[in-house]
Coordinates of all heavy atoms in Angstrom, one line a residue:
M92 N -170.0 -20.0 -119.1 CA -171.2 -19.2 -119.5 C -172.0 -18.8 -118.3 O -172.3 -19.6 -117.4 CB -172.0 -20.0 -120.5 CG -173.2 -19.3 -121.0 SD -173.9 -20.3 -122.2 CE -175.6 -19.8 -122.1
T93 N -172.4 -17.6 -118.1 CA -173.3 -17.2 -117.0 C -174.6 -16.7 -117.6 O -174.7 -16.5 -118.8 CB -172.7 -16.0 -116.2 OG1 -172.6 -14.9 -117.1 CG2 -171.3 -16.4 -115.7
D94 N -175.6 -16.6 -116.7 CA -176.8 -16.0 -117.1 C -177.0 -14.7 -116.4 O -177.9 -14.5 -115.6 CB -178.0 -16.9 -117.0 CG -177.9 -17.7 -115.7 OD1 -177.0 -17.5 -115.0 OD2 -178.8 -18.5 -115.6
S95 N -176.1 -13.8 -116.5 CA -176.0 -12.6 -115.8 C -177.2 -11.6 -116.0 O -177.4 -10.7 -115.3 CB -174.7 -11.8 -116.0 OG -174.6 -11.6 -117.3
E96 N -177.9 -11.9 -117.1 CA -179.1 -11.0 -117.3 C -180.3 -11.3 -116.4 O -181.2 -10.5 -116.3 CB -179.5 -11.2 -118.8 CG -180.3 -12.5 -119.2 CD -179.3 -13.7 -119.3 OE1 -178.1 -13.5 -119.2 OE2 -179.9 -14.8 -119.6
V97 N -180.2 -12.4 -115.7 CA -181.3 -12.8 -114.8 C -180.9 -12.7 -113.4 O -179.7 -12.9 -113.0 CB -181.9 -14.2 -115.0 CG1 -183.1 -14.2 -115.8 CG2 -180.9 -15.1 -115.6
Q98 N -181.8 -12.3 -112.5 CA -181.5 -12.3 -111.1 C -181.8 -13.6 -110.4 O -182.7 -14.3 -110.8 CB -182.4 -11.1 -110.4 CG -181.9 -9.7 -110.8 CD -180.5 -9.4 -110.4 OE1 -180.3 -9.5 -109.2 NE2 -179.7 -9.1 -111.3
T99 N -181.1 -13.8 -109.3 CA -181.4 -15.0 -108.5 C -182.6 -14.9 -107.7 O -182.9 -13.8 -107.1 CB -180.2 -15.3 -107.6 OG1 -179.0 -15.4 -108.3 CG2 -180.4 -16.5 -106.7
E100 N -183.5 -15.9 -107.6 CA -184.6 -16.0 -106.7 C -184.2 -17.0 -105.6 O -183.7 -18.1 -105.9 CB -185.8 -16.5 -107.4 CG -186.5 -15.6 -108.3 CD -187.7 -16.3 -109.0 OE1 -188.4 -17.0 -108.4 OE2 -187.8 -16.0 -110.2
V101 N -184.3 -16.5 -104.4 CA -184.0 -17.4 -103.2 C -185.2 -17.8 -102.5 O -186.1 -16.9 -102.2 CB -183.0 -16.7 -102.3 CG1 -182.6 -17.7 -101.1 CG2 -181.7 -16.4 -103.0
K102 N -185.4 -19.0 -102.1 CA -186.5 -19.5 -101.3 C -186.1 -20.6 -100.4 O -185.0 -21.2 -100.6 CB -187.7 -19.9 -102.1 CG -187.4 -21.1 -103.0 CD -188.6 -21.5 -103.8 CE -188.3 -22.6 -104.8 NZ -189.4 -23.1 -105.6
K103 N -186.8 -20.8 -99.3 CA -186.5 -21.9 -98.4 C -187.7 -22.9 -98.4 O -188.8 -22.5 -98.3 CB -186.4 -21.2 -97.0 CG -186.0 -22.2 -95.9 CD -184.5 -22.1 -95.6 CE -184.1 -22.7 -94.2 NZ -184.2 -24.1 -94.1
E104 N -187.3 -24.1 -98.6 CA -188.3 -25.2 -98.7 C -187.8 -26.3 -97.7 O -186.9 -27.0 -98.0 CB -188.4 -25.8 -100.0 CG -189.2 -24.9 -101.0 CD -189.3 -25.6 -102.4 OE1 -188.7 -26.7 -102.6 OE2 -189.9 -25.0 -103.3
G105 N -188.4 -26.4 -96.5 CA -188.0 -27.3 -95.5 C -186.6 -27.0 -95.1 O -186.3 -25.9 -94.7
Y106 N -185.7 -28.0 -95.3 CA -184.3 -27.8 -94.9 C -183.5 -27.3 -96.1 O -182.3 -27.0 -96.0 CB -183.6 -29.2 -94.5 CG -184.1 -29.7 -93.2 CD1 -184.6 -31.0 -93.1 CD2 -184.1 -28.9 -92.1 CE1 -185.0 -31.5 -91.9 CE2 -184.6 -29.4 -90.9 CZ -185.1 -30.7 -90.8 OH -185.5 -31.2 -89.6
L107 N -184.1 -27.0 -97.2 CA -183.3 -26.6 -98.4 C -183.5 -25.1 -98.6 O -184.6 -24.6 -98.6 CB -183.8 -27.3 -99.7 CG -183.5 -28.8 -99.8 CD1 -184.1 -29.3 -101.1 CD2 -182.1 -29.1 -99.7
V108 N -182.3 -24.4 -98.8 CA -182.4 -23.0 -99.2 C -181.9 -23.0 -100.7 O -180.9 -23.6 -101.0 CB -181.6 -22.1 -98.3 CG1 -180.1 -22.4 -98.2 CG2 -181.7 -20.6 -98.8
I109 N -182.8 -22.5 -101.5 CA -182.6 -22.7 -103.0 C -182.5 -21.4 -103.6 O -183.3 -20.5 -103.5 CB -183.8 -23.5 -103.6 CG1 -184.0 -24.9 -102.9 CG2 -183.6 -23.7 -105.1 CD1 -185.3 -25.5 -103.2
G110 N -181.4 -21.2 -104.4 CA -181.2 -20.1 -105.2 C -181.3 -20.5 -106.7 O -180.6 -21.5 -107.0
K111 N -182.1 -19.9 -107.5 CA -182.2 -20.3 -108.9 C -182.4 -19.2 -109.9 O -182.9 -18.1 -109.5 CB -183.3 -21.4 -109.0 CG -184.7 -20.9 -108.8 CD -185.6 -22.0 -108.6 CE -186.0 -22.7 -109.9 NZ -187.2 -23.6 -109.6
T112 N -181.8 -19.4 -111.0 CA -182.1 -18.6 -112.2 C -182.9 -19.4 -113.2 O -183.2 -20.6 -112.9 CB -180.9 -18.0 -112.8 OG1 -180.1 -19.2 -113.4 CG2 -180.0 -17.3 -111.9
K113 N -183.1 -18.9 -114.4 CA -183.8 -19.8 -115.4 C -183.0 -21.0 -115.7 O -183.6 -22.0 -116.1 CB -184.1 -18.9 -116.6 CG -185.3 -18.0 -116.5 CD -185.5 -17.3 -117.8 CE -186.5 -16.3 -117.6 NZ -186.5 -15.2 -118.6
T114 N -181.7 -20.9 -115.6 CA -180.9 -22.0 -116.1 C -180.1 -22.8 -115.0 O -179.6 -23.9 -115.3 CB -179.9 -21.5 -117.1 OG1 -179.1 -20.5 -116.5 CG2 -180.5 -21.0 -118.3
T115 N -179.9 -22.2 -113.8 CA -179.1 -22.9 -112.8 C -179.8 -22.9 -111.5 O -180.5 -21.9 -111.2 CB -177.8 -22.1 -112.7 OG1 -177.2 -21.9 -114.0 CG2 -176.8 -22.8 -111.8
E116 N -179.6 -23.9 -110.7 CA -180.2 -24.0 -109.4 C -179.1 -24.5 -108.4 O -178.5 -25.5 -108.7 CB -181.4 -25.0 -109.4 CG -182.0 -25.1 -108.1 CD -183.3 -26.1 -108.1 OE1 -184.2 -25.8 -108.8 OE2 -183.2 -27.1 -107.4
I117 N -179.0 -23.8 -107.3 CA -178.1 -24.2 -106.3 C -178.8 -24.4 -105.0 O -179.6 -23.5 -104.6 CB -177.0 -23.2 -106.1 CG1 -176.2 -23.0 -107.3 CG2 -176.0 -23.7 -104.9 CD1 -175.2 -21.9 -107.3
S118 N -178.8 -25.6 -104.3 CA -179.5 -25.8 -103.1 C -178.5 -26.2 -102.0 O -177.5 -26.8 -102.2 CB -180.5 -26.9 -103.2 OG -179.9 -28.1 -103.6
I119 N -178.8 -25.7 -100.8 CA -178.0 -25.9 -99.6 C -178.9 -26.7 -98.6 O -180.0 -26.1 -98.3 CB -177.5 -24.7 -98.9 CG1 -177.0 -23.6 -99.9 CG2 -176.5 -25.0 -97.8 CD1 -175.7 -24.0 -100.6
D120 N -178.6 -27.8 -98.1 CA -179.3 -28.5 -97.1 C -178.9 -28.0 -95.8 O -177.8 -28.3 -95.3 CB -179.1 -30.0 -97.2 CG -180.0 -30.8 -96.3 OD1 -180.2 -30.4 -95.2 OD2 -180.5 -31.9 -96.8
T121 N -179.7 -27.2 -95.1 CA -179.3 -26.5 -93.9 C -179.3 -27.5 -92.7 O -178.8 -27.2 -91.7 CB -180.2 -25.3 -93.6 OG1 -181.6 -25.8 -93.4 CG2 -180.2 -24.3 -94.7
F122 N -179.9 -28.7 -92.9 CA -179.8 -29.7 -91.9 C -178.4 -30.4 -91.9 O -177.9 -30.7 -90.8 CB -180.9 -30.8 -92.1 CG -181.0 -31.7 -90.9 CD1 -181.6 -31.4 -89.8 CD2 -180.5 -33.0 -91.0 CE1 -181.7 -32.2 -88.7 CE2 -180.5 -33.9 -90.0 CZ -181.2 -33.5 -88.8
L123 N -177.8 -30.5 -93.1 CA -176.5 -31.1 -93.2 C -175.4 -30.1 -93.0 O -174.3 -30.5 -92.5 CB -176.4 -31.7 -94.6 CG -177.3 -32.9 -94.9 CD1 -177.1 -33.3 -96.4 CD2 -177.1 -34.0 -94.0
C124 N -175.6 -28.9 -93.4 CA -174.5 -27.8 -93.4 C -174.1 -27.5 -91.9 O -174.9 -27.3 -91.0 CB -175.0 -26.5 -94.0 SG -173.9 -25.2 -93.8
K125 N -172.7 -27.5 -91.7 CA -172.3 -27.2 -90.4 C -171.7 -25.8 -90.3 O -171.1 -25.4 -89.3 CB -171.2 -28.2 -89.9 CG -170.0 -28.2 -90.8 CD -169.0 -29.3 -90.3 CE -167.9 -29.5 -91.3 NZ -167.3 -30.9 -91.3
G126 N -171.8 -25.1 -91.4 CA -171.4 -23.7 -91.4 C -169.9 -23.5 -91.4 O -169.4 -22.5 -90.9
C127 N -169.1 -24.4 -92.1 CA -167.7 -24.3 -92.0 C -167.1 -23.2 -92.9 O -166.0 -22.7 -92.7 CB -167.1 -25.6 -92.5 SG -167.3 -26.0 -94.2
G128 N -167.9 -22.8 -93.9 CA -167.5 -21.7 -94.8 C -166.6 -22.0 -95.9 O -166.2 -21.1 -96.7
I129 N -166.3 -23.2 -96.2 CA -165.5 -23.6 -97.3 C -166.1 -23.1 -98.6 O -165.4 -22.5 -99.5 CB -165.2 -25.1 -97.4 CG1 -164.4 -25.6 -96.2 CG2 -164.6 -25.6 -98.7 CD1 -164.2 -27.1 -96.0
C130 N -167.4 -23.4 -98.8 CA -168.0 -22.9 -100.1 C -168.0 -21.4 -100.2 O -167.8 -20.9 -101.3 CB -169.5 -23.5 -100.1 SG -170.5 -22.9 -98.7
V131 N -168.2 -20.7 -99.1 CA -168.3 -19.2 -99.2 C -166.9 -18.7 -99.6 O -166.8 -17.8 -100.4 CB -168.7 -18.7 -97.8 CG1 -168.7 -17.1 -97.9 CG2 -170.0 -19.2 -97.4
E132 N -165.8 -19.3 -99.0 CA -164.5 -18.8 -99.3 C -164.0 -19.3 -100.7 O -163.3 -18.6 -101.3 CB -163.5 -19.4 -98.2 CG -163.7 -18.8 -96.9 CD -163.6 -17.3 -96.8 OE1 -162.6 -16.8 -97.5 OE2 -164.4 -16.6 -96.2
M133 N -164.3 -20.5 -101.1 CA -163.7 -21.1 -102.3 C -164.5 -20.7 -103.6 O -163.9 -20.9 -104.7 CB -163.6 -22.6 -102.2 CG -162.7 -23.0 -101.0 SD -161.0 -22.3 -101.1 CE -160.4 -23.3 -102.5
C134 N -165.7 -20.4 -103.5 CA -166.4 -20.0 -104.8 C -165.7 -18.9 -105.5 O -165.6 -17.8 -104.9 CB -167.9 -19.6 -104.5 SG -168.7 -19.0 -105.9
P135 N -165.3 -19.1 -106.7 CA -164.5 -18.1 -107.4 C -165.4 -16.9 -107.9 O -164.9 -15.9 -108.2 CB -164.0 -18.8 -108.7 CG -164.9 -20.0 -108.9 CD -165.4 -20.4 -107.5
R136 N -166.7 -17.1 -107.8 CA -167.6 -16.0 -108.3 C -168.4 -15.4 -107.1 O -169.3 -14.6 -107.3 CB -168.6 -16.6 -109.3 CG -168.0 -17.3 -110.5 CD -167.4 -16.3 -111.4 NE -168.4 -15.5 -111.9 CZ -168.2 -14.4 -112.7 NH1 -167.0 -14.1 -113.1 NH2 -169.2 -13.7 -113.1
K137 N -168.0 -15.7 -105.9 CA -168.7 -15.1 -104.7 C -170.2 -15.2 -104.8 O -170.9 -14.2 -104.6 CB -168.2 -13.7 -104.5 CG -166.7 -13.5 -104.4 CD -166.3 -14.1 -103.0 CE -164.8 -14.1 -102.9 NZ -164.2 -15.3 -102.2
V138 N -170.7 -16.4 -105.1 CA -172.1 -16.6 -105.2 C -172.8 -16.6 -103.8 O -174.0 -16.2 -103.7 CB -172.4 -18.0 -105.9 CG1 -173.8 -18.5 -105.7 CG2 -172.0 -17.8 -107.4
F139 N -172.1 -16.9 -102.7 CA -172.8 -17.1 -101.4 C -172.6 -16.0 -100.5 O -171.5 -15.3 -100.5 CB -172.2 -18.4 -100.7 CG -172.4 -19.6 -101.5 CD1 -171.3 -20.1 -102.3 CD2 -173.6 -20.3 -101.6 CE1 -171.4 -21.3 -103.0 CE2 -173.7 -21.5 -102.3 CZ -172.7 -22.0 -103.0
E140 N -173.6 -15.7 -99.7 CA -173.5 -14.8 -98.5 C -174.0 -15.6 -97.3 O -174.8 -16.5 -97.4 CB -174.3 -13.6 -98.7 CG -173.7 -12.6 -99.8 CD -174.5 -11.4 -99.9 OE1 -175.5 -11.1 -99.2 OE2 -174.2 -10.6 -100.9
W141 N -173.5 -15.2 -96.1 CA -174.0 -15.9 -94.9 C -175.4 -15.5 -94.6 O -175.8 -14.4 -94.8 CB -173.1 -15.5 -93.7 CG -171.8 -16.2 -93.8 CD1 -170.6 -15.5 -94.0 CD2 -171.4 -17.6 -93.6 NE1 -169.6 -16.4 -94.0 CE2 -170.0 -17.7 -93.8 CE3 -172.2 -18.7 -93.4 CZ2 -169.4 -18.9 -93.7 CZ3 -171.6 -19.9 -93.3 CH2 -170.2 -20.0 -93.5
S142 N -176.2 -16.5 -94.1 CA -177.5 -16.2 -93.6 C -177.5 -15.3 -92.4 O -176.6 -15.3 -91.7 CB -178.2 -17.5 -93.3 OG -177.6 -18.1 -92.1
K143 N -178.6 -14.5 -92.3 CA -178.7 -13.7 -91.1 C -179.2 -14.6 -89.9 O -178.8 -14.4 -88.8 CB -179.6 -12.6 -91.3 CG -179.1 -11.5 -92.3 CD -179.9 -10.3 -92.4 CE -179.3 -9.3 -93.3 NZ -178.9 -9.8 -94.6
E144 N -180.1 -15.5 -90.2 CA -180.7 -16.4 -89.2 C -179.9 -17.6 -89.0 O -179.1 -18.0 -89.9 CB -182.1 -16.7 -89.6 CG -182.3 -17.5 -90.8 CD -182.2 -16.7 -92.1 OE1 -181.9 -15.5 -92.1 OE2 -182.6 -17.3 -93.1
L145 N -180.1 -18.3 -87.9 CA -179.4 -19.6 -87.7 C -180.2 -20.8 -88.2 O -181.5 -20.7 -88.3 CB -179.3 -19.7 -86.1 CG -178.4 -18.7 -85.4 CD1 -178.3 -18.9 -84.0 CD2 -176.9 -18.7 -86.0
S146 N -179.5 -21.8 -88.5 CA -180.2 -23.0 -89.0 C -180.7 -23.9 -87.8 O -180.5 -23.5 -86.6 CB -179.2 -23.8 -89.8 OG -178.2 -24.4 -88.9
E147 N -181.3 -25.0 -88.2 CA -181.7 -26.0 -87.2 C -180.5 -26.4 -86.3 O -180.8 -26.8 -85.1 CB -182.3 -27.2 -87.8 CG -183.5 -26.9 -88.8 CD -183.2 -26.2 -90.1 OE1 -182.0 -26.2 -90.5 OE2 -184.1 -25.8 -90.8
K148 N -179.3 -26.4 -86.9 CA -178.2 -26.8 -86.1 C -177.6 -25.6 -85.3 O -176.6 -25.8 -84.5 CB -177.1 -27.2 -87.1 CG -177.2 -28.7 -87.5 CD -175.9 -29.1 -88.2 CE -175.9 -30.6 -88.4 NZ -174.9 -31.0 -89.5
G149 N -178.2 -24.5 -85.5 CA -177.7 -23.3 -84.7 C -176.5 -22.6 -85.3 O -175.7 -22.0 -84.5
V150 N -176.3 -22.8 -86.6 CA -175.2 -22.1 -87.3 C -175.7 -21.2 -88.4 O -176.8 -21.5 -88.9 CB -174.2 -23.1 -87.8 CG1 -173.6 -24.0 -86.7 CG2 -174.8 -24.0 -88.9
H151 N -174.9 -20.3 -88.8 CA -175.2 -19.5 -90.0 C -174.9 -20.4 -91.2 O -173.9 -21.2 -91.2 CB -174.4 -18.2 -90.1 CG -174.8 -17.3 -89.0 ND1 -176.0 -16.5 -89.1 CD2 -174.3 -16.9 -87.8 CE1 -176.1 -15.8 -88.1 NE2 -175.1 -16.0 -87.3
Y152 N -175.6 -20.3 -92.3 CA -175.4 -21.2 -93.4 C -175.3 -20.3 -94.7 O -175.7 -19.2 -94.7 CB -176.5 -22.2 -93.6 CG -177.9 -21.6 -93.6 CD1 -178.5 -21.1 -94.7 CD2 -178.6 -21.4 -92.4 CE1 -179.8 -20.5 -94.8 CE2 -179.9 -20.8 -92.4 CZ -180.4 -20.4 -93.6 OH -181.7 -19.8 -93.6
P153 N -174.6 -20.8 -95.7 CA -174.5 -20.0 -96.9 C -175.8 -19.9 -97.7 O -176.6 -20.9 -97.8 CB -173.5 -20.8 -97.7 CG -173.6 -22.2 -97.2 CD -174.0 -22.1 -95.8
V154 N -176.1 -18.7 -98.2 CA -177.3 -18.5 -99.1 C -176.8 -18.2 -100.5 O -176.0 -17.2 -100.6 CB -178.1 -17.4 -98.5 CG1 -179.4 -17.2 -99.3 CG2 -178.5 -17.7 -97.0
P155 N -177.2 -18.9 -101.5 CA -176.8 -18.6 -102.8 C -177.5 -17.4 -103.4 O -178.4 -17.6 -104.2 CB -177.1 -20.0 -103.6 CG -178.2 -20.5 -102.9 CD -178.2 -20.1 -101.4
V156 N -177.1 -16.3 -103.1 CA -177.8 -15.0 -103.5 C -177.4 -14.5 -104.9 O -178.1 -13.7 -105.4 CB -177.6 -13.9 -102.4 CG1 -178.3 -14.2 -101.1 CG2 -176.1 -13.7 -102.2
H157 N -176.3 -15.1 -105.4 CA -175.9 -14.5 -106.7 C -175.7 -15.7 -107.7 O -174.6 -15.9 -108.3 CB -174.6 -13.8 -106.6 CG -174.7 -12.5 -105.8 ND1 -175.5 -11.5 -106.2 CD2 -174.1 -12.1 -104.6 CE1 -175.5 -10.5 -105.3 NE2 -174.6 -10.9 -104.4
V158 N -176.7 -16.5 -107.9 CA -176.6 -17.7 -108.8 C -176.3 -17.2 -110.2 O -175.7 -17.9 -111.0 CB -177.9 -18.6 -108.7 CG1 -177.8 -19.7 -109.7 CG2 -178.0 -19.1 -107.3
E159 N -176.8 -16.0 -110.5 CA -176.5 -15.5 -111.9 C -175.1 -15.4 -112.2 O -174.7 -15.3 -113.4 CB -177.3 -14.2 -112.1 CG -176.7 -12.9 -111.5 CD -177.0 -12.8 -110.0 OE1 -177.6 -13.7 -109.4 OE2 -176.5 -11.8 -109.4
K160 N -174.2 -15.3 -111.2 CA -172.8 -15.2 -111.4 C -172.1 -16.6 -111.5 O -170.9 -16.7 -111.8 CB -172.1 -14.5 -110.3 CG -172.5 -13.0 -110.1 CD -171.7 -12.4 -109.0 CE -172.1 -11.0 -108.7 NZ -171.4 -10.5 -107.5
C161 N -172.8 -17.7 -111.2 CA -172.2 -19.0 -111.1 C -171.8 -19.5 -112.5 O -172.5 -19.3 -113.5 CB -173.3 -20.0 -110.6 SG -172.8 -21.7 -110.5
V162 N -170.6 -20.1 -112.5 CA -170.0 -20.6 -113.7 C -170.1 -22.2 -113.8 O -169.5 -22.8 -114.6 CB -168.6 -20.2 -114.0 CG1 -168.5 -18.7 -114.3 CG2 -167.7 -20.5 -112.8
R163 N -170.8 -22.7 -112.8 CA -171.1 -24.2 -112.7 C -169.9 -25.0 -112.7 O -169.8 -26.1 -113.2 CB -172.0 -24.6 -114.0 CG -173.2 -23.8 -114.1 CD -173.8 -24.0 -115.5 NE -175.0 -23.2 -115.7 CZ -175.5 -22.9 -116.9 NH1 -175.0 -23.5 -117.9 NH2 -176.5 -22.2 -117.0
C164 N -168.9 -24.5 -111.9 CA -167.7 -25.3 -111.8 C -167.8 -26.5 -110.8 O -167.0 -27.4 -110.8 CB -166.5 -24.4 -111.3 SG -166.7 -23.7 -109.7
K165 N -168.9 -26.4 -110.0 CA -169.2 -27.4 -109.0 C -168.1 -27.5 -107.8 O -168.2 -28.5 -107.1 CB -169.4 -28.8 -109.6 CG -170.8 -29.0 -110.2 CD -171.0 -30.4 -110.6 CE -172.4 -30.7 -111.0 NZ -173.3 -31.2 -110.0
L166 N -167.3 -26.5 -107.8 CA -166.2 -26.6 -106.7 C -166.9 -26.6 -105.3 O -166.5 -27.4 -104.4 CB -165.4 -25.3 -106.8 CG -164.0 -25.4 -106.2 CD1 -163.2 -26.5 -106.8 CD2 -163.3 -24.0 -106.4
C167 N -168.0 -25.8 -105.2 CA -168.6 -25.8 -103.9 C -169.2 -27.2 -103.5 O -169.1 -27.7 -102.4 CB -169.8 -24.7 -103.9 SG -170.9 -24.9 -105.2
E168 N -169.9 -27.8 -104.5 CA -170.5 -29.1 -104.3 C -169.4 -30.2 -104.0 O -169.6 -31.0 -103.1 CB -171.2 -29.5 -105.5 CG -172.0 -30.8 -105.4 CD -172.7 -31.2 -106.7 OE1 -173.6 -30.4 -107.1 OE2 -172.5 -32.2 -107.3
L169 N -168.3 -30.1 -104.7 CA -167.2 -31.1 -104.5 C -166.4 -30.9 -103.2 O -166.0 -31.9 -102.6 CB -166.2 -31.0 -105.7 CG -166.8 -31.5 -107.0 CD1 -165.9 -31.1 -108.2 CD2 -167.1 -33.0 -107.0
L170 N -166.3 -29.6 -102.8 CA -165.5 -29.4 -101.5 C -166.3 -29.5 -100.3 O -165.7 -29.6 -99.2 CB -164.9 -28.0 -101.7 CG -163.8 -27.8 -102.7 CD1 -163.3 -26.4 -102.7 CD2 -162.6 -28.8 -102.4
C171 N -167.6 -29.4 -100.3 CA -168.4 -29.4 -99.1 C -168.2 -30.8 -98.4 O -168.6 -31.8 -98.9 CB -169.9 -29.2 -99.4 SG -170.9 -29.4 -97.9
P172 N -167.7 -30.8 -97.2 CA -167.4 -32.0 -96.5 C -168.7 -32.7 -96.0 O -168.6 -33.9 -95.7 CB -166.5 -31.6 -95.3 CG -166.8 -30.1 -95.1 CD -167.2 -29.6 -96.4
D173 N -169.8 -32.1 -96.1 CA -171.0 -32.7 -95.6 C -172.1 -32.9 -96.7 O -173.2 -33.2 -96.3 CB -171.6 -31.8 -94.5 CG -170.6 -31.7 -93.3 OD1 -170.7 -32.6 -92.4 OD2 -169.8 -30.8 -93.2
F174 N -171.6 -32.8 -97.9 CA -172.5 -33.1 -99.1 C -173.8 -32.3 -99.0 O -174.9 -32.8 -99.3 CB -172.8 -34.6 -99.1 CG -171.6 -35.5 -99.2 CD1 -171.1 -36.1 -98.1 CD2 -170.8 -35.5 -100.4 CE1 -169.9 -36.9 -98.1 CE2 -169.6 -36.3 -100.4 CZ -169.2 -37.0 -99.3
A175 N -173.7 -31.1 -98.6 CA -174.9 -30.3 -98.3 C -175.3 -29.4 -99.6 O -176.4 -28.9 -99.6 CB -174.7 -29.3 -97.1
I176 N -174.4 -29.4 -100.6 CA -174.7 -28.5 -101.7 C -175.0 -29.3 -103.0 O -174.3 -30.3 -103.2 CB -173.5 -27.6 -102.0 CG1 -173.1 -26.8 -100.8 CG2 -173.8 -26.6 -103.2 CD1 -172.0 -25.8 -101.0
A177 N -175.9 -28.9 -103.8 CA -176.2 -29.4 -105.1 C -176.3 -28.3 -106.1 O -177.0 -27.3 -105.9 CB -177.5 -30.3 -105.1
V178 N -175.5 -28.4 -107.2 CA -175.6 -27.5 -108.3 C -176.1 -28.2 -109.5 O -175.6 -29.2 -109.9 CB -174.2 -26.9 -108.6 CG1 -174.2 -25.9 -109.7 CG2 -173.5 -26.3 -107.4
R179 N -177.2 -27.7 -110.0 CA -177.9 -28.3 -111.1 C -178.2 -27.3 -112.2 O -178.4 -26.2 -112.0 CB -179.2 -28.9 -110.7 CG -179.1 -30.0 -109.6 CD -180.5 -30.6 -109.5 NE -180.5 -31.5 -108.3 CZ -180.8 -31.1 -107.1 NH1 -181.1 -29.9 -106.8 NH2 -180.7 -32.0 -106.1
W180 N -178.2 -27.8 -113.5 CA -178.6 -27.0 -114.6 C -179.2 -27.8 -115.7 O -179.1 -29.1 -115.7 CB -177.4 -26.1 -115.1 CG -176.3 -26.9 -115.6 CD1 -176.1 -27.3 -116.9 CD2 -175.1 -27.3 -114.9 NE1 -174.9 -28.0 -117.0 CE2 -174.3 -28.0 -115.8 CE3 -174.7 -27.2 -113.6 CZ2 -173.0 -28.5 -115.4 CZ3 -173.5 -27.7 -113.2 CH2 -172.7 -28.4 -114.1
Ligands
SF4_280 S1 -170.5 -24.1 -109.0 FE1 -168.6 -22.9 -108.8 S2 -169.2 -20.8 -109.4 FE2 -171.1 -21.9 -108.9 S3 -171.5 -21.5 -106.7 FE3 -170.3 -23.4 -106.8 S4 -168.2 -22.8 -106.6 FE4 -169.4 -20.9 -107.1
SF4_281 S1 -169.0 -26.2 -97.4 FE1 -170.9 -27.4 -96.9 S2 -170.9 -27.5 -94.6 FE2 -169.4 -25.9 -95.2 S3 -170.6 -24.0 -95.1 FE3 -170.7 -24.7 -97.2 S4 -172.6 -26.0 -97.3 FE4 -172.1 -25.7 -95.1

């Protein structure tokens, strides 16, 4: 189930870049993320895009710009080798 009727709001709070709709929230810890791209490549719904700016680590990080497309499979959270992603609903 998706909530495609709502748009994602993205904000940055400290080290967290947070994309959320009314029902789903995805956060990336940019301090933990090393920019490997597994989440970007493996998300079946193409929820992430690369950041334009660099993180504290000096890498581009995924931004959850299309949370409204997320099907909450948690693949991104499970595959992230650095435990940088949290998917909540
Ligand atoms: S939970 Fe699944 S659909 Fe949602 S962002 Fe992660 S990989 Fe993509
Ligand atoms: S899988 Fe984890 S470490 Fe790799 S780009 Fe995504 S959030 Fe960053």
